[in-house]
Amino acid sequence: MALRLVPASLVSASAVLLFGLHTPVSIPAGYLLLGFALATAFVIDRPLARDLALVALGLLLISTISLAANIDYPNMALMGTVLTLAVLLPYLVSRYLYRERAIRFPIRTGRPWTSAALGYLVVVIALGYAILPTYFIRSGAFQNWPTVTAPDEIGRLFVGVGFVGIWDELFFICTVFALLRRHFPDWLANLLQAVIFTSFLWELGYRSWGPLITFPFALLQGFTFALTKSLGYVIVVHLLFDLVVFLVIVHAHTPAWLPIFLY
């Protein structure tokens, strides 16, 4: 496992270069590191190399666009298309080329949510209310999202935040985490996916001390999915958190609106 961890860690590190640093120097370096990681995996463990190639395919597609929070119609269409392909193509390759079912999207598990699961949803909202206003407003991170005042702009921001939240779970949890946990213990696979998850959100706009929020959140989402085996549940968790994100961003740009937050 120690040898297999080398290329897997390099794939996670490439995301830091591609999305976390995202400079004219770091982006080519990220591509080189990603290629080296796949070559190393091919030598060490062919099945691992196949799965890392699927992760790399998604990362390469994402890296072709800017992840800046731009809610113009053309940019939303472009970003939506690329992010959809980053989930769809690895799934199709795994399902029809590899002839495997490693990537699944279990919306319905046939099991009702427990009282603890329902209680956790309340905790998520409470934590979002307690943490997010202070983070976005005091760090100035809300400025990474556009000011929205017209109903059409508010609607686009709401849809954009929700779409990316759902996509996060489809890619980072159901694709990256699912593929990595075939080769590593859940805790280790979760750490590796959380590095990629956090790097993506950094470029998206969660700057300053945002990783102190996004990295634990990514770990919790991976753990929650491993525990519940329910994509539907982790999506609901994410969307509740993102609902608070949306409300805070709107308030931060126009403080007279939604004066319900403490910071």
Side-chain angles (χ1 to χ4, degrees):
M1 188 178 70
L3 282 177
R4 294 199 305 273
L5 182 58
V6 172
S9 298
L10 294 179
V11 169
S12 291
S14 73
V16 177
L17 296 174
L18 292 172
F19 311 120
L21 297 180
H22 195 69
T23 67
V25 174
S26 70
I27 293 174
Y31 290 140
L32 289 174
L33 189 61
L34 195 56
F36 179 72
L38 295 180
T40 304
F42 186 80
V43 172
I44 294 173
D45 187 321
R46 297 286 179 86
L48 174 63
R50 285 156 52 98
D51 285 344
L52 290 181
L54 297 180
V55 176
L57 174 59
L59 296 181
L60 289 172
L61 286 168
I62 300 166
S63 71
T64 62
I65 60 171
S66 168
L67 297 176
N70 179 349
I71 60 171
D72 292 343
Y73 282 113
N75 186 73
M76 289 184 71
L78 173 63
M79 189 172 180
T81 300
V82 172
L83 293 185
T84 299
L85 289 174
V87 170
L88 183 61
L89 292 183
Y91 169 77
L92 292 176
V93 171
S94 175
R95 179 69 179 85
Y96 296 104
L97 183 61
Y98 292 177
R99 302 289 183 180
E100 297 176 344
R101 294 183 178 269
I103 301 174
R104 297 170 180 262
F105 307 104
I107 296 292
R108 301 177 63 182
T109 63
R111 295 181 297 172
W113 293 354
T114 65
S115 57
L118 294 173
Y120 181 59
L121 299 180
V122 177
V123 172
V124 168
I125 297 174
L127 287 174
Y129 180 84
I131 297 171
L132 292 174
T134 299
Y135 161 62
F136 276 107
I137 295 171
R138 299 212 171 186
S139 72
F142 72 92
Q143 296 174 347
N144 296 322
W145 279 262
T147 302
V148 292
T149 54
D152 176 61
E153 295 172 335
I154 295 171
R156 277 182 279 149
L157 179 63
F158 180 79
V159 170
V161 170
F163 171 81
V164 173
I166 294 171
W167 179 87
D168 286 341
E169 305 307 322
L170 297 177
F171 183 71
F172 297 114
I173 302 302
C174 288
T175 302
V176 178
F177 179 50
L179 292 170
L180 290 173
R181 68 193 300 214
R182 302 179 77 195
H183 307 277
F184 304 100
D186 279 1
W187 66 269
L188 185 51
N190 203 18
L191 285 171
L192 293 170
Q193 73 82 17
V195 171
I196 303 174
F197 198 143
T198 304
S199 301
F200 172 87
L201 289 182
W202 175 272
E203 186 183 346
L204 190 65
Y206 291 82
R207 309 286 175 82
S208 185
W209 46 278
L212 296 180
I213 299 173
T214 55
F215 189 76
F217 180 76
L219 290 176
L220 281 172
Q221 288 298 89
F223 174 77
T224 301
F225 181 73
L227 186 66
T228 64
K229 300 177 177 61
S230 172
L231 171 62
Y233 183 74
V234 294
I235 283 178
V236 169
V237 170
H238 201 134
L239 289 181
L240 287 175
F241 202 72
D242 278 354
L243 175 61
V244 182
V245 170
F246 165 75
L247 295 175
V248 170
I249 291 172
V250 171
H251 168 72
H253 282 291
T254 311
W257 293 4
L258 301 169
I260 58 175
F261 299 105
L262 302 175
Y263 47 92

